[in-house]
Amino acid sequence: MKLFSCLMALLLFLLEAVPGLGLPKDTLRCVGYHGFCFHSKSCPEPFAAFGTCSRRQKTCCIDTTSNFHTCQDEGGHCVPPEIKCLQEQVGLCPHREWKCCTEL
C-alpha cells in the first residue's frame, strides 16, 4: 500500500511539474473550489454549475449543500480586487482573485 501511495504522489508531482501533462486551467480552478467535472451540460442535484472543465468540454459542478456557495447565492456581487468593498461576504466567485461583496 505504501508503494502505491508513493507512486501516486510521484505521478501527481510529474503532472504538475511537466508542462503539457498537467490539468487544464479550468479543471484546476474547478477542483480548487472543491468542484467535480461532469460530462453533461447540467449538474445533478444537489450540484450547481460553476464554470467548465477539460477545456470547456465538461461542466464544473459544486455541491450546494456544502460550505462552498457561490457569491450570488449568498446575495453578493463578485468584484475584482481593485474595487473596495464596504462589507465582504463568504462566497465563491468565478475568478479566484475576485472577492464577494454585499455592499460596494
Side-chain angles (χ1 to χ4, degrees):
M1 192 66 175
K2 285 186 178 184
L3 178 62
F4 178 74
S5 298
C6 289
L7 288 174
M8 289 304 294
L10 179 62
L11 177 65
L12 288 173
F13 172 76
L14 288 175
L15 285 174
E16 291 178 6
V18 178
L21 290 180
L23 296 172
K25 286 184 180 182
D26 58 351
T27 303
L28 288 174
R29 184 177 62 85
C30 182
V31 172
Y33 282 123
H34 303 275
F36 300 94
C37 297
F38 288 95
H39 288 286
S40 64
K41 294 295 180 192
S42 60
C43 300
E45 289 291 329
F47 294 92
F50 191 71
T52 61
C53 294
S54 301
R55 295 180 182 93
R56 299 184 184 198
Q57 299 298 315
K58 297 179 184 177
T59 303
C60 175
C61 300
I62 59 169
D63 187 355
T64 58
T65 62
S66 71
N67 292 331
F68 302 102
H69 295 284
T70 63
C71 182
Q72 288 80 8
D73 290 344
E74 299 296 326
H77 304 281
C78 291
V79 296
E82 59 271 6
I83 294 179
K84 303 273 189 226
C85 291
L86 294 177
Q87 185 176 0
E88 284 193 42
Q89 172 173 322
V90 175
L92 296 177
C93 290
H95 303 287
R96 183 176 285 273
E97 63 275 357
W98 286 29
K99 54 192 169 187
C100 183
C101 296
T102 53
E103 296 181 29
L104 301 175

